[in-house]
Amino acid sequence: MPNDTAIQMNELRAGTTSGDLMRVVIVGHVDHGKSTLVGRMFHDTGQLPDGKLEAIQEMCRRRGMPFEWAFLMDSLKAERDQGVTIDTSQIWFRHNARQYVIIDAPGHREFIRNMVTGASNADAAMLMIDADQGVRRQSRHHSYLLQLLGVREVAVAVNKMDLVDYDEARFRQIETEYKSYLEGIGIQARRVIPISAREGDNVATASDRMSWYDGPSVIETMAEFELPESPVDRPLRLPLQDVYKFDDRRILAGRIESGRLHVGDELVFSPSNRTARIASIESWNTGEPATTASAEQSVGITLDEQIFVERGEVASHVSDAPIETDVFHLRLFWLADTPLEVGKTYGLKIGPRHLNATIERIERVIDVEALSDHEATKVSRDEIAEVVVRTNQLVAIDNHDNLPRTGRVIVYDRHITLAGGIVSMGSYPDQREQITIRSSNLTEVDHGVDNTRRAARNRHQPGVLWFTGLSGAGKSTLAMALEHRLFDEGYQVYVLDGDNVRTGLNANLGFSPEDRAENIRRVGEVAALLSDAGLIVITAFISPYRADRDRAREAGGDSFREIYIKADVATCESRDPKGLYKRARAGEIQEFTGISAPYEEPTDPELIVDTSDKDIESCLDELVAYVKANFAVTAK
């Protein structure tokens, strides 16, 4: 931006806070007039710096081309030569009591990354449609991206009405078509405005050439946009950019994305789960030391104790911490020429943190044109898809609908951005409670009877046989039959299933993803204790999530055996012993595993028992043979 304009914009900036500032992105297909609209807005409200209009006129005269308002925003030489906006331009604008940052995002397909960058910071959007060309494919892509990024304050400007002789019928046709599309993706356009940015019609004031339109102008519509909830009023999120050491101080530095903090606040750092209190908020060249800081400020803090935290961790208040997980849903827009594929590992950037993530499943690919979706084995360029991602370690994250700034991710490979996306946990649980250890000052006591003596008396090794599989696969039936057979043959054996733990031990748990995870955690710990007492414990739980089963394996130690009772959904649904599938199909049961909630098949179970085409006795014989081969005292 030229220096004189920059000076004026800095003056506007003075005294502005995020509470009275609206960020508006202007998006649309290439050459639909975005930059022209911005230039005209500045001229018609008297905000062009002195001499700026004359400078643009002289530049156009030297180039032998018609006057272009777009040159106010298109500051790069390459853009002037090619007539397209390449980079995302931002400029401050003021009208009446409200101040704005106007973001001019490129519309060309080749620069879609820049468009996403611009839109991701916006509070509202002005969508541009060329009245002569009508709604284009890129127009639909842009609006879907706005929906994806959570921009809900939207208006539409149907530009270049001068090219269609200000025809009302043409405007109404585009208005009906585009409003219908926007409503289909969950966006209610605040206004649809017929304009001519070049001529100034309905930009700042009403147009005499479109008397059939009695709505507000573009600038009047921008004043109607509702300011979003201030990030200051949301839960604290401070992703750490780095840790610096000065003198004997360790200063944790980062930008507060939401919320506020004070000296003395207790913070938890995720995903390490370490806690400490703020000792100081560091400040430089200030008269008094700071005691508080809030969203959109970059800060450095020290803690009251030297805990180990590192770049990428997220500081929050203990009472409202982010989600901790290693698996989540991601809705993404794929930008790369090489398709996204299941099983491939990519880099994932979440705030300042970088880690590896594997695409476990493509749930659906969304047809932006038809507003339909279909199953797919890959995601091609410019497609929007919902996928399941598993990271190589726990990560702190938020549902995008709750906290957009910490619910966005970037997928990359060798520093090249491949996709942007937003996070949803869906039916996956927050794993924080399952990994948090609150007990302290405990000393483990050794038993007077060791496992060897127990095994000698029982004539078998202890163990945990963890049956997992879909509802209706036969877990409980086989567990009870196996218990009966083994008991008759002298084994000390006991079955844990949903009925005998949810009426007692886990009676206080519901069926939320977090409660289901806690249910499995408790069962895993009880099974491990019973195994330590010398028993063979058989568990019969769907336990759909790999992370939960991994924790049960960790608790059970070397005696743990994961046994996959395998049957496909169609087979299980045909059995439906409790009528659960029927109720799930009717919508009476939400988040039902295999229908509306995922089941993560075991990747390397000790035994697979396929009940699809075998009778109960054959499966039972297979299980008994496995136990005898692996748990009898004589087995080596």
Short mmCIF file of all heavy atoms in Angstrom, two decimals, residues 329-381:
data_model
loop_
_atom_site.label_atom_id
_atom_site.label_comp_id
_atom_site.label_asym_id
_atom_site.label_seq_id
_atom_site.Cartn_x
_atom_site.Cartn_y
_atom_site.Cartn_z
N HIS A 329 -12.92 -36.01 13.34
CA HIS A 329 -13.44 -35.77 11.99
C HIS A 329 -12.86 -34.46 11.47
O HIS A 329 -12.69 -33.50 12.23
CB HIS A 329 -14.97 -35.65 12.00
CG HIS A 329 -15.68 -36.85 12.52
ND1 HIS A 329 -16.01 -37.93 11.74
CD2 HIS A 329 -16.12 -37.16 13.76
CE1 HIS A 329 -16.64 -38.84 12.46
NE2 HIS A 329 -16.71 -38.40 13.71
N LEU A 330 -12.57 -34.43 10.18
CA LEU A 330 -12.05 -33.22 9.55
C LEU A 330 -12.79 -32.99 8.24
O LEU A 330 -12.82 -33.87 7.38
CB LEU A 330 -10.55 -33.37 9.29
CG LEU A 330 -9.82 -32.16 8.67
CD1 LEU A 330 -9.90 -30.97 9.61
CD2 LEU A 330 -8.37 -32.52 8.37
N ARG A 331 -13.43 -31.85 8.12
CA ARG A 331 -14.02 -31.45 6.84
C ARG A 331 -13.01 -30.55 6.15
O ARG A 331 -12.64 -29.50 6.67
CB ARG A 331 -15.34 -30.72 7.04
CG ARG A 331 -15.97 -30.26 5.72
CD ARG A 331 -17.31 -29.60 5.89
NE ARG A 331 -18.35 -30.57 6.21
CZ ARG A 331 -19.65 -30.28 6.21
NH1 ARG A 331 -20.05 -29.05 5.91
NH2 ARG A 331 -20.55 -31.19 6.49
N LEU A 332 -12.56 -30.96 4.98
CA LEU A 332 -11.46 -30.25 4.35
C LEU A 332 -11.75 -29.91 2.89
O LEU A 332 -12.61 -30.53 2.24
CB LEU A 332 -10.16 -31.06 4.45
CG LEU A 332 -10.13 -32.51 3.92
CD1 LEU A 332 -10.00 -32.54 2.41
CD2 LEU A 332 -9.00 -33.29 4.57
N PHE A 333 -11.01 -28.93 2.40
CA PHE A 333 -11.04 -28.55 0.99
C PHE A 333 -9.68 -28.90 0.42
O PHE A 333 -8.67 -28.31 0.79
CB PHE A 333 -11.32 -27.05 0.86
CG PHE A 333 -11.51 -26.60 -0.56
CD1 PHE A 333 -12.75 -26.73 -1.18
CD2 PHE A 333 -10.46 -26.06 -1.29
CE1 PHE A 333 -12.92 -26.32 -2.50
CE2 PHE A 333 -10.63 -25.66 -2.59
CZ PHE A 333 -11.86 -25.78 -3.21
N TRP A 334 -9.66 -29.88 -0.50
CA TRP A 334 -8.40 -30.40 -1.01
C TRP A 334 -7.89 -29.52 -2.15
O TRP A 334 -8.59 -29.29 -3.13
CB TRP A 334 -8.58 -31.84 -1.47
CG TRP A 334 -7.29 -32.54 -1.75
CD1 TRP A 334 -6.79 -32.90 -2.96
CD2 TRP A 334 -6.31 -32.96 -0.79
NE1 TRP A 334 -5.56 -33.51 -2.81
CE2 TRP A 334 -5.25 -33.57 -1.49
CE3 TRP A 334 -6.24 -32.87 0.61
CZ2 TRP A 334 -4.13 -34.09 -0.84
CZ3 TRP A 334 -5.12 -33.38 1.24
CH2 TRP A 334 -4.09 -33.99 0.52
N LEU A 335 -6.65 -29.04 -2.02
CA LEU A 335 -6.10 -28.07 -2.96
C LEU A 335 -5.05 -28.66 -3.90
O LEU A 335 -4.65 -28.00 -4.87
CB LEU A 335 -5.45 -26.92 -2.18
CG LEU A 335 -6.37 -26.13 -1.24
CD1 LEU A 335 -5.55 -25.25 -0.32
CD2 LEU A 335 -7.35 -25.29 -2.03
N ALA A 336 -4.58 -29.86 -3.61
CA ALA A 336 -3.44 -30.41 -4.34
C ALA A 336 -3.87 -31.15 -5.60
O ALA A 336 -4.98 -31.69 -5.69
CB ALA A 336 -2.65 -31.35 -3.43
N ASP A 337 -2.95 -31.20 -6.56
CA ASP A 337 -3.20 -31.97 -7.78
C ASP A 337 -3.20 -33.47 -7.50
O ASP A 337 -3.94 -34.23 -8.11
CB ASP A 337 -2.15 -31.64 -8.85
CG ASP A 337 -2.29 -30.21 -9.36
OD1 ASP A 337 -3.44 -29.74 -9.45
OD2 ASP A 337 -1.27 -29.58 -9.68
N THR A 338 -2.34 -33.91 -6.58
CA THR A 338 -2.30 -35.32 -6.19
C THR A 338 -3.43 -35.61 -5.22
O THR A 338 -3.58 -34.92 -4.21
CB THR A 338 -0.96 -35.67 -5.52
OG1 THR A 338 0.10 -35.33 -6.40
CG2 THR A 338 -0.90 -37.14 -5.19
N PRO A 339 -4.27 -36.61 -5.48
CA PRO A 339 -5.44 -36.87 -4.63
C PRO A 339 -5.06 -37.27 -3.21
O PRO A 339 -4.00 -37.87 -2.97
CB PRO A 339 -6.16 -38.02 -5.35
CG PRO A 339 -5.65 -38.01 -6.74
CD PRO A 339 -4.24 -37.52 -6.65
N LEU A 340 -5.94 -36.98 -2.28
CA LEU A 340 -5.84 -37.50 -0.92
C LEU A 340 -6.28 -38.95 -0.94
O LEU A 340 -7.29 -39.29 -1.57
CB LEU A 340 -6.72 -36.68 0.02
CG LEU A 340 -6.88 -37.18 1.46
CD1 LEU A 340 -6.99 -35.99 2.41
CD2 LEU A 340 -8.11 -38.06 1.62
N GLU A 341 -5.54 -39.80 -0.20
CA GLU A 341 -5.85 -41.22 -0.19
C GLU A 341 -5.88 -41.77 1.23
O GLU A 341 -5.15 -41.30 2.11
CB GLU A 341 -4.82 -42.00 -1.02
CG GLU A 341 -4.82 -41.62 -2.49
CD GLU A 341 -3.77 -42.40 -3.28
OE1 GLU A 341 -2.98 -43.13 -2.65
OE2 GLU A 341 -3.74 -42.26 -4.51
N VAL A 342 -6.74 -42.75 1.45
CA VAL A 342 -6.83 -43.42 2.75
C VAL A 342 -5.52 -44.15 3.05
O VAL A 342 -4.92 -44.77 2.16
CB VAL A 342 -8.00 -44.42 2.76
CG1 VAL A 342 -8.00 -45.24 4.05
CG2 VAL A 342 -9.33 -43.70 2.61
N GLY A 343 -5.09 -44.04 4.29
CA GLY A 343 -3.87 -44.73 4.72
C GLY A 343 -2.61 -43.90 4.58
O GLY A 343 -1.56 -44.28 5.12
N LYS A 344 -2.70 -42.77 3.87
CA LYS A 344 -1.50 -41.95 3.68
C LYS A 344 -1.30 -41.01 4.87
O LYS A 344 -2.26 -40.52 5.46
CB LYS A 344 -1.59 -41.15 2.39
CG LYS A 344 -0.29 -40.46 2.03
CD LYS A 344 -0.28 -39.95 0.60
CE LYS A 344 1.06 -39.31 0.26
NZ LYS A 344 1.12 -38.81 -1.13
N THR A 345 -0.06 -40.77 5.21
CA THR A 345 0.28 -39.89 6.33
C THR A 345 0.73 -38.53 5.80
O THR A 345 1.54 -38.45 4.88
CB THR A 345 1.38 -40.51 7.20
OG1 THR A 345 0.91 -41.74 7.74
CG2 THR A 345 1.78 -39.59 8.34
N TYR A 346 0.18 -37.48 6.39
CA TYR A 346 0.48 -36.10 6.00
C TYR A 346 0.93 -35.32 7.23
O TYR A 346 0.74 -35.75 8.37
CB TYR A 346 -0.75 -35.42 5.40
CG TYR A 346 -1.31 -36.09 4.17
CD1 TYR A 346 -2.35 -37.02 4.27
CD2 TYR A 346 -0.82 -35.80 2.90
CE1 TYR A 346 -2.88 -37.63 3.14
CE2 TYR A 346 -1.34 -36.40 1.76
CZ TYR A 346 -2.36 -37.32 1.90
OH TYR A 346 -2.88 -37.92 0.77
N GLY A 347 1.49 -34.16 6.98
CA GLY A 347 1.76 -33.23 8.07
C GLY A 347 0.48 -32.49 8.42
O GLY A 347 -0.35 -32.19 7.56
N LEU A 348 0.30 -32.20 9.71
CA LEU A 348 -0.88 -31.48 10.18
C LEU A 348 -0.42 -30.32 11.03
O LEU A 348 0.39 -30.50 11.95
CB LEU A 348 -1.77 -32.42 11.00
CG LEU A 348 -3.26 -32.09 11.06
CD1 LEU A 348 -3.88 -32.27 9.69
CD2 LEU A 348 -3.96 -32.99 12.07
N LYS A 349 -0.90 -29.14 10.71
CA LYS A 349 -0.56 -27.94 11.48
C LYS A 349 -1.82 -27.47 12.20
O LYS A 349 -2.83 -27.17 11.58
CB LYS A 349 -0.02 -26.84 10.58
CG LYS A 349 0.41 -25.58 11.33
CD LYS A 349 1.00 -24.55 10.38
CE LYS A 349 1.52 -23.34 11.14
NZ LYS A 349 0.43 -22.60 11.84
N ILE A 350 -1.73 -27.43 13.53
CA ILE A 350 -2.82 -26.95 14.37
C ILE A 350 -2.26 -25.82 15.21
O ILE A 350 -1.52 -26.06 16.17
CB ILE A 350 -3.37 -28.07 15.26
CG1 ILE A 350 -3.80 -29.27 14.39
CG2 ILE A 350 -4.54 -27.57 16.09
CD1 ILE A 350 -4.24 -30.47 15.19
N GLY A 351 -2.57 -24.58 14.84
CA GLY A 351 -1.91 -23.45 15.49
C GLY A 351 -0.43 -23.52 15.20
O GLY A 351 0.00 -23.76 14.07
N PRO A 352 0.41 -23.37 16.22
CA PRO A 352 1.86 -23.47 16.00
C PRO A 352 2.39 -24.89 16.04
O PRO A 352 3.58 -25.11 15.83
CB PRO A 352 2.44 -22.65 17.17
CG PRO A 352 1.42 -22.81 18.26
CD PRO A 352 0.08 -22.91 17.58
N ARG A 353 1.53 -25.87 16.28
CA ARG A 353 2.00 -27.25 16.45
C ARG A 353 1.98 -28.01 15.13
O ARG A 353 1.03 -27.93 14.36
CB ARG A 353 1.16 -27.99 17.47
CG ARG A 353 1.76 -29.35 17.83
CD ARG A 353 1.03 -30.02 18.95
NE ARG A 353 1.72 -31.24 19.35
CZ ARG A 353 1.22 -32.15 20.17
NH1 ARG A 353 0.01 -31.98 20.68
NH2 ARG A 353 1.90 -33.23 20.49
N HIS A 354 3.05 -28.78 14.90
CA HIS A 354 3.16 -29.64 13.72
C HIS A 354 3.26 -31.09 14.19
O HIS A 354 4.02 -31.41 15.09
CB HIS A 354 4.40 -29.28 12.90
CG HIS A 354 4.35 -27.92 12.30
ND1 HIS A 354 4.08 -27.70 10.96
CD2 HIS A 354 4.53 -26.69 12.84
CE1 HIS A 354 4.11 -26.40 10.71
NE2 HIS A 354 4.38 -25.77 11.84
N LEU A 355 2.51 -31.98 13.55
CA LEU A 355 2.58 -33.40 13.85
C LEU A 355 2.12 -34.19 12.63
O LEU A 355 1.65 -33.62 11.64
CB LEU A 355 1.74 -33.75 15.08
CG LEU A 355 0.23 -33.57 15.02
CD1 LEU A 355 -0.42 -34.34 16.18
CD2 LEU A 355 -0.16 -32.10 15.16
N ASN A 356 2.29 -35.50 12.70
CA ASN A 356 1.89 -36.36 11.59
C ASN A 356 0.50 -36.92 11.83
O ASN A 356 0.11 -37.18 12.97
CB ASN A 356 2.88 -37.52 11.43
CG ASN A 356 4.23 -37.03 10.94
OD1 ASN A 356 4.33 -36.06 10.19
ND2 ASN A 356 5.29 -37.71 11.35
N ALA A 357 -0.24 -37.10 10.74
CA ALA A 357 -1.61 -37.61 10.84
C ALA A 357 -1.88 -38.53 9.66
O ALA A 357 -1.44 -38.27 8.53
CB ALA A 357 -2.62 -36.47 10.87
N THR A 358 -2.61 -39.59 9.93
CA THR A 358 -2.96 -40.56 8.90
C THR A 358 -4.46 -40.47 8.59
O THR A 358 -5.28 -40.34 9.50
CB THR A 358 -2.63 -41.99 9.37
OG1 THR A 358 -1.23 -42.07 9.67
CG2 THR A 358 -2.97 -43.01 8.30
N ILE A 359 -4.79 -40.50 7.31
CA ILE A 359 -6.19 -40.50 6.90
C ILE A 359 -6.73 -41.92 7.08
O ILE A 359 -6.34 -42.83 6.36
CB ILE A 359 -6.35 -40.05 5.43
CG1 ILE A 359 -5.67 -38.69 5.20
CG2 ILE A 359 -7.83 -40.00 5.05
CD1 ILE A 359 -6.23 -37.56 6.03
N GLU A 360 -7.61 -42.10 8.05
CA GLU A 360 -8.13 -43.43 8.33
C GLU A 360 -9.33 -43.79 7.47
O GLU A 360 -9.52 -44.95 7.09
CB GLU A 360 -8.54 -43.53 9.80
CG GLU A 360 -7.38 -43.53 10.75
CD GLU A 360 -7.62 -44.46 11.91
OE1 GLU A 360 -8.78 -44.60 12.34
OE2 GLU A 360 -6.64 -45.07 12.40
N ARG A 361 -10.15 -42.79 7.15
CA ARG A 361 -11.36 -43.10 6.41
C ARG A 361 -11.87 -41.85 5.70
O ARG A 361 -11.80 -40.75 6.24
CB ARG A 361 -12.43 -43.62 7.38
CG ARG A 361 -13.72 -44.09 6.72
CD ARG A 361 -14.61 -44.82 7.72
NE ARG A 361 -15.18 -43.96 8.74
CZ ARG A 361 -14.79 -43.95 10.01
NH1 ARG A 361 -13.79 -44.72 10.40
NH2 ARG A 361 -15.36 -43.15 10.89
N ILE A 362 -12.33 -42.01 4.48
CA ILE A 362 -13.05 -40.95 3.78
C ILE A 362 -14.53 -41.23 3.98
O ILE A 362 -15.05 -42.23 3.48
CB ILE A 362 -12.70 -40.91 2.28
CG1 ILE A 362 -11.20 -40.62 2.09
CG2 ILE A 362 -13.53 -39.85 1.57
CD1 ILE A 362 -10.74 -40.74 0.65
N GLU A 363 -15.19 -40.39 4.75
CA GLU A 363 -16.60 -40.64 5.06
C GLU A 363 -17.50 -40.27 3.90
O GLU A 363 -18.46 -40.97 3.60
CB GLU A 363 -16.98 -39.85 6.32
CG GLU A 363 -16.20 -40.29 7.55
CD GLU A 363 -16.61 -39.57 8.79
OE1 GLU A 363 -16.46 -38.33 8.83
OE2 GLU A 363 -17.12 -40.22 9.72
N ARG A 364 -17.22 -39.16 3.27
CA ARG A 364 -18.01 -38.76 2.10
C ARG A 364 -17.31 -37.63 1.38
O ARG A 364 -16.55 -36.85 1.98
CB ARG A 364 -19.42 -38.34 2.49
CG ARG A 364 -19.50 -37.11 3.42
CD ARG A 364 -20.92 -36.81 3.81
NE ARG A 364 -21.02 -35.60 4.60
CZ ARG A 364 -21.90 -34.62 4.38
NH1 ARG A 364 -22.74 -34.72 3.38
NH2 ARG A 364 -21.94 -33.55 5.15
N VAL A 365 -17.56 -37.53 0.08
CA VAL A 365 -17.11 -36.41 -0.73
C VAL A 365 -18.34 -35.61 -1.13
O VAL A 365 -19.35 -36.20 -1.57
CB VAL A 365 -16.34 -36.89 -1.98
CG1 VAL A 365 -16.04 -35.72 -2.91
CG2 VAL A 365 -15.04 -37.56 -1.56
N ILE A 366 -18.27 -34.32 -0.98
CA ILE A 366 -19.44 -33.46 -1.17
C ILE A 366 -19.40 -32.85 -2.56
O ILE A 366 -18.41 -32.23 -2.97
CB ILE A 366 -19.47 -32.35 -0.10
CG1 ILE A 366 -19.55 -32.99 1.29
CG2 ILE A 366 -20.64 -31.41 -0.32
CD1 ILE A 366 -19.21 -32.06 2.42
N ASP A 367 -20.48 -33.02 -3.31
CA ASP A 367 -20.64 -32.40 -4.62
C ASP A 367 -21.16 -30.98 -4.41
O ASP A 367 -22.34 -30.79 -4.08
CB ASP A 367 -21.61 -33.22 -5.47
CG ASP A 367 -21.69 -32.69 -6.91
OD1 ASP A 367 -21.48 -31.49 -7.12
OD2 ASP A 367 -21.98 -33.50 -7.81
N VAL A 368 -20.27 -30.01 -4.57
CA VAL A 368 -20.63 -28.61 -4.29
C VAL A 368 -21.69 -28.11 -5.26
O VAL A 368 -22.52 -27.27 -4.91
CB VAL A 368 -19.37 -27.72 -4.34
CG1 VAL A 368 -19.73 -26.26 -4.17
CG2 VAL A 368 -18.39 -28.14 -3.26
N GLU A 369 -21.70 -28.62 -6.47
CA GLU A 369 -22.67 -28.18 -7.47
C GLU A 369 -24.07 -28.69 -7.13
O GLU A 369 -25.03 -27.93 -7.09
CB GLU A 369 -22.26 -28.69 -8.85
CG GLU A 369 -20.96 -28.11 -9.37
CD GLU A 369 -21.11 -26.64 -9.77
OE1 GLU A 369 -22.10 -26.30 -10.43
OE2 GLU A 369 -20.24 -25.84 -9.39
N ALA A 370 -24.18 -30.00 -6.92
CA ALA A 370 -25.49 -30.62 -6.73
C ALA A 370 -25.92 -30.66 -5.27
O ALA A 370 -27.05 -31.06 -4.97
CB ALA A 370 -25.47 -32.04 -7.30
N LEU A 371 -25.02 -30.26 -4.35
CA LEU A 371 -25.29 -30.33 -2.91
C LEU A 371 -25.70 -31.74 -2.50
O LEU A 371 -26.67 -31.95 -1.78
CB LEU A 371 -26.36 -29.31 -2.50
CG LEU A 371 -25.95 -27.85 -2.58
CD1 LEU A 371 -27.05 -26.95 -2.08
CD2 LEU A 371 -24.66 -27.60 -1.81
N SER A 372 -24.95 -32.71 -3.00
CA SER A 372 -25.16 -34.11 -2.62
C SER A 372 -23.80 -34.66 -2.19
O SER A 372 -22.78 -33.97 -2.30
CB SER A 372 -25.72 -34.91 -3.79
OG SER A 372 -24.84 -34.87 -4.90
N ASP A 373 -23.79 -35.88 -1.71
CA ASP A 373 -22.51 -36.47 -1.33
C ASP A 373 -22.48 -37.93 -1.76
O ASP A 373 -23.53 -38.54 -2.03
CB ASP A 373 -22.27 -36.35 0.18
CG ASP A 373 -23.36 -36.98 1.00
OD1 ASP A 373 -23.37 -38.22 1.12
OD2 ASP A 373 -24.22 -36.25 1.53
N HIS A 374 -21.28 -38.48 -1.83
CA HIS A 374 -21.12 -39.86 -2.26
C HIS A 374 -19.88 -40.45 -1.60
O HIS A 374 -18.99 -39.73 -1.14
CB HIS A 374 -20.99 -39.95 -3.79
CG HIS A 374 -19.84 -39.15 -4.34
ND1 HIS A 374 -19.96 -37.81 -4.67
CD2 HIS A 374 -18.55 -39.49 -4.62
CE1 HIS A 374 -18.81 -37.36 -5.13
NE2 HIS A 374 -17.93 -38.35 -5.10
N GLU A 375 -19.83 -41.77 -1.55
CA GLU A 375 -18.66 -42.45 -1.02
C GLU A 375 -17.53 -42.38 -2.04
O GLU A 375 -17.76 -42.28 -3.24
CB GLU A 375 -19.00 -43.91 -0.70
CG GLU A 375 -20.01 -44.06 0.43
CD GLU A 375 -20.28 -45.51 0.76
OE1 GLU A 375 -19.73 -46.39 0.05
OE2 GLU A 375 -21.04 -45.78 1.70
N ALA A 376 -16.30 -42.42 -1.54
CA ALA A 376 -15.15 -42.33 -2.45
C ALA A 376 -13.94 -42.95 -1.79
O ALA A 376 -13.88 -43.10 -0.56
CB ALA A 376 -14.86 -40.87 -2.82
N THR A 377 -12.98 -43.32 -2.60
CA THR A 377 -11.72 -43.88 -2.09
C THR A 377 -10.59 -42.87 -2.16
O THR A 377 -9.50 -43.12 -1.67
CB THR A 377 -11.33 -45.13 -2.90
OG1 THR A 377 -11.22 -44.78 -4.29
CG2 THR A 377 -12.38 -46.22 -2.73
N LYS A 378 -10.84 -41.71 -2.77
CA LYS A 378 -9.85 -40.65 -2.82
C LYS A 378 -10.56 -39.31 -2.95
O LYS A 378 -11.76 -39.25 -3.25
CB LYS A 378 -8.88 -40.86 -3.99
CG LYS A 378 -9.54 -40.79 -5.36
CD LYS A 378 -8.52 -41.01 -6.47
CE LYS A 378 -9.19 -40.90 -7.85
NZ LYS A 378 -8.20 -41.08 -8.94
N VAL A 379 -9.82 -38.24 -2.71
CA VAL A 379 -10.35 -36.89 -2.82
C VAL A 379 -9.48 -36.12 -3.80
O VAL A 379 -8.27 -36.00 -3.61
CB VAL A 379 -10.36 -36.17 -1.44
CG1 VAL A 379 -10.97 -34.78 -1.58
CG2 VAL A 379 -11.13 -37.00 -0.41
N SER A 380 -10.09 -35.60 -4.85
CA SER A 380 -9.35 -34.91 -5.89
C SER A 380 -9.33 -33.41 -5.65
O SER A 380 -10.01 -32.90 -4.76
CB SER A 380 -9.97 -35.21 -7.26
OG SER A 380 -9.97 -36.61 -7.51
N ARG A 381 -8.55 -32.72 -6.45
CA ARG A 381 -8.38 -31.27 -6.30
C ARG A 381 -9.73 -30.56 -6.37
O ARG A 381 -10.60 -30.89 -7.16
CB ARG A 381 -7.48 -30.74 -7.41
CG ARG A 381 -7.32 -29.23 -7.35
CD ARG A 381 -6.32 -28.71 -8.32
NE ARG A 381 -6.36 -27.24 -8.36
CZ ARG A 381 -5.48 -26.49 -8.98
NH1 ARG A 381 -4.49 -27.04 -9.64
NH2 ARG A 381 -5.59 -25.19 -8.97
#
